[in-house]
């Protein structure tokens, strides 16, 4: 299959224009969408959309209880699905929760979410990846700037930009507790990065990403073109939907206030994974769900 978004193949970075729509359902059908035209316009323009108070206080309490029960039960577990901080044994992320835990399976299949992502992607969807991210006060480390699609394309074989990430805030998000940062408009440009992908790169990249990280000049260009950097803040229970190619990252959390979230990626069933474009081996199922295990959601 032709590689429309080559990366990690040249010794100089390059910025390529996007070849796919941001919203895959015909915009003439906006009146059938589960969100407003203004929200669709914002998502299409900026590459992300925050919806505050999406979940009720009771639902948030249940999810908070569930993520900490899972954290406690995995405290002493040795598993590739449990990612720890690069400088400690503190749990950074737990992967594949939509398959391994019935409660989070139900959250992933929440019809309110599916209605939105189905409309954005113009098809039925499946979960490409799920995880809980923990960013405790004083200890939570940063996530370097990156486009998720660049990694999923190169290392997993995701052909096109037809996936959307969902972050459910399970702590109040402030500008100072290591929040998600996004570059508006960056979804329209693909940064082709330098550096050949090492074998089993995921073992290190899930702790700290070194390959597929855009260069400073490209990031500066994107930020200038997009008018800066956006930081969605708000109460626990808010959700942030962001397009798979939207450039994002987060800082370390040196405050007393934690920032935890449930993260799920919805991919179109028409955008199933092929062989990794890096030419390397496929990453494990808990990081990238492949055809053999795809449950169709609608």
């Amino acid at each position: 299959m032709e590689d429309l978004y080559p990366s990690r193949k040249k010794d100089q970075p390059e910025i390529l224009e996007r070849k796919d729509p941001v919203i895959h359902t015909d915009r003439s059908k906006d009146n059938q969408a589960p969100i407003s035209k203004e929200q669709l316009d914002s998502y299409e323009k900026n590459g992300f959309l925050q919806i505050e108070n999406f979940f009720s206080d009771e639902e948030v309490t249940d999810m908070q209880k569930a993520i900490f029960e899972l954290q406690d039960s995995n405290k002493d577990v040795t598993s590739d699905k449990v990612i720890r901080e690069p400088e400690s044994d503190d749990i950074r992320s737990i992967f594949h929760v939509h398959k391994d835990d019935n409660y989070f399976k139900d959250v992933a299949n929440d019809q309110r979410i599916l209605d939105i992502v189905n409309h954005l992607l113009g098809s039925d969807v499946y979960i490409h990846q799920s995880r809980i991210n923990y960013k405790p006060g004083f200890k939570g480390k940063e996530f370097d700037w990156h486009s998720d699609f660049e990694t999923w394309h190169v290392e997993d074989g995701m052909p096109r930009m037809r996936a959307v990430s969902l972050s459910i805030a399970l702590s109040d998000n402030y500008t100072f507790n290591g929040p998600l940062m996004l570059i508006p408009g960056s979804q329209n440009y693909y940064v082709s990065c330098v550096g050949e992908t090492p074998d089993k790169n995921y073992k290190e990249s899930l702790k700290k990403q070194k390959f597929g990280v855009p260069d400073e000049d490209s990031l500066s260009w994107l930020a200038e073109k997009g008018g800066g950097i956006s930081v969605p803040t708000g109460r626990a229970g808010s959700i942030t939907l962001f397009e798979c190619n939207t450039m994002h990252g987060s800082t370390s959390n040196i405050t007393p206030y934690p920032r935890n979230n449930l993260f799920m990626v919805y991919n179109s069933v028409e955008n199933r994974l092929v062989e990794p474009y890096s030419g390397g081996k496929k990453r494990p199922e808990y990081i990238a769900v492949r055809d053999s295990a795809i449950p169709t959601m609608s």
Side-chain angles (χ1 to χ4, degrees):
M1 185 176 291
E2 181 185 1
D3 187 353
L4 297 177
Y5 298 103
S7 186
R8 311 187 204 179
K9 294 183 176 181
K10 297 181 179 179
D11 58 4
Q12 293 294 324
E14 186 177 6
I15 297 178
L16 309 175
E17 290 194 2
R18 181 189 184 97
K19 298 177 176 65
D20 296 297
V22 175
I23 295 177
H24 295 262
T25 295
D26 187 341
R27 290 300 307 269
S28 68
K29 298 180 180 180
D30 280 2
N31 61 340
Q32 301 174 19
I35 54 178
S36 69
K37 180 182 183 303
E38 290 73 24
Q39 289 174 312
L40 290 168
D41 287 343
S42 180
Y43 179 85
E44 188 169 44
K45 176 184 177 181
N46 297 311
F48 60 89
L49 174 68
Q50 183 187 40
I51 304 177
E52 296 190 40
N53 304 313
F54 188 86
F55 290 99
S56 68
D57 290 344
E58 181 180 1
E59 289 172 316
V60 171
T61 298
D62 289 343
M63 279 190 273
Q64 289 171 331
K65 180 173 180 287
I67 68 167
F68 289 119
E69 285 178 348
L70 199 59
Q71 185 182 43
D72 288 342
S73 66
N74 282 278
K75 184 177 181 181
D76 298 316
V77 170
T78 300
S79 169
D80 287 342
K81 298 178 185 178
V82 179
I83 310 302
R84 300 183 184 274
E85 292 287 358
E87 298 173 2
S88 73
D89 286 331
D90 293 330
I91 294 178
R92 180 183 181 93
S93 301
I94 300 176
F95 276 75
H96 214 49
V97 294
H98 77 288
K99 290 288 286 184
D100 295 342
D101 187 288
N102 286 332
Y103 175 79
F104 292 113
K105 180 180 180 180
D106 289 341
V107 175
N109 282 282
D110 189 304
Q111 195 61 49
R112 294 169 295 179
I113 295 172
L114 294 179
D115 287 345
I116 296 174
V117 297
N118 284 346
H119 189 85
L120 293 176
L121 299 178
S123 70
D124 287 337
V125 299
Y126 70 95
I127 294 284
H128 166 72
Q129 184 187 103
S130 67
R131 67 180 186 260
I132 298 165
N133 293 323
Y134 303 92
K135 188 174 278 193
F138 301 117
K139 297 179 180 180
K141 297 301 182 184
E142 70 279 359
F143 286 84
D144 291 314
W145 286 106
H146 63 287
S147 152
D148 285 333
F149 176 76
E150 193 275 346
T151 296
W152 300 336
H153 182 72
V154 172
E155 298 189 34
D156 296 328
M158 182 179 286
R160 308 297 290 261
M161 295 178 183
R162 198 172 177 181
V164 60
S165 298
L166 169 72
S167 176
I168 302 174
L170 295 178
S171 304
D172 292 344
N173 281 354
Y174 305 104
T175 57
F176 47 74
N177 65 334
L180 176 68
M181 302 184 296
L182 306 112
I183 300 181
S186 58
Q187 78 280 2
N188 292 317
Y189 302 95
Y190 180 75
V191 179
S192 181
C193 301
V194 300
E196 186 177 350
T197 310
D199 187 36
K200 295 184 179 180
N201 180 52
Y202 64 91
K203 289 186 175 291
E204 296 300 324
S205 67
L206 298 179
K207 294 183 178 182
K208 183 173 178 60
Q209 192 163 345
K210 296 179 181 178
F211 296 88
V213 177
D215 61 293
E216 294 179 1
D217 287 344
S218 295
L219 286 168
S220 298
W221 184 87
L222 288 172
E224 182 178 354
K225 193 167 186 66
I229 294 170
S230 291
V231 182
T233 59
R235 296 180 62 236
S238 301
I239 66 170
T240 303
L241 297 143
F242 55 102
E243 209 281 331
C244 61
N245 189 49
T246 301
M247 196 66 67
H248 63 285
S250 67
T251 59
S252 296
N253 184 10
I254 61 172
T255 75
Y257 308 104
R259 188 184 78 83
N260 308 308
N261 70 291
L262 173 59
F263 178 83
M264 295 179 293
V265 181
Y266 294 87
N267 188 30
S268 168
V269 296
E270 298 173 11
N271 194 40
R272 298 172 186 240
L273 306 186
V274 296
E275 292 297 314
Y277 286 89
S278 64
K281 295 179 180 178
K282 300 172 184 176
R283 296 200 298 175
E285 180 77 16
Y286 68 87
I287 300 175
V289 173
R290 306 196 74 86
D291 288 9
S292 60
I294 290 177
T296 300
M297 300 176 175
S298 60

